[in-house]
Amino acid sequence: MHNLWIPVVATLAVAGLIFGSQVYSEMQRDDHIAATIAERFDRQVPAEISHLARVNKGYGVCGDYVLSSAESGHFYYNSVTKRLALDTGASLYRDNCVGISY
């Protein structure tokens, strides 16, 4: 019975590492998106992003942003190419986010 605990603990530790690294990676991606939006508008404070929806099998993110000066809008971010579209009229946004319910 004592030898049964070793594989159980090892399995739980590996599962925790996998899940934790995925959450950490998504937090880094979100921080990068917020900072990139702020850079586009020459702001020092990162934008607040919300209503995130993963698209394209998780390789893209659609959402809303708000800057400190009350500027707001929608965005699309491609995690692979690091391309950001801030205009709902942009082809990247139209192709990936139109029709997505947040």
Side-chain angles (χ1 to χ4, degrees):
M1 184 69 168
H2 186 322
N3 291 336
L4 180 63
W5 285 106
I6 294 171
V8 169
V9 170
T11 303
L12 290 175
V14 169
L17 286 172
I18 292 170
F19 180 72
S21 67
Q22 184 176 3
V23 169
Y24 180 73
S25 176
E26 287 184 12
M27 287 174 38
Q28 281 185 316
R29 181 203 62 208
D30 295 350
D31 291 344
H32 177 71
I33 293 170
T36 304
I37 292 171
E39 280 179 26
R40 288 272 180 97
F41 289 99
D42 293 326
R43 303 286 190 257
Q44 299 298 321
V45 179
E48 293 181 33
I49 58 175
S50 60
H51 303 109
L52 303 179
R54 296 174 79 186
V55 295
N56 297 337
K57 299 179 183 176
Y59 293 111
V61 179
C62 297
D64 298 333
Y65 70 88
V66 176
L67 293 167
S68 59
S69 61
E71 292 177 276
S72 63
H74 306 287
F75 71 88
Y76 168 74
Y77 180 76
N78 185 312
S79 299
V80 176
T81 63
K82 310 287 190 228
R83 292 182 64 193
L84 177 69
L86 295 175
D87 184 13
T88 55
S91 62
L92 277 175
Y93 183 87
R94 282 193 323 267
D95 293 345
N96 294 288
C97 299
V98 171
I100 300 292
S101 60
Y102 299 100

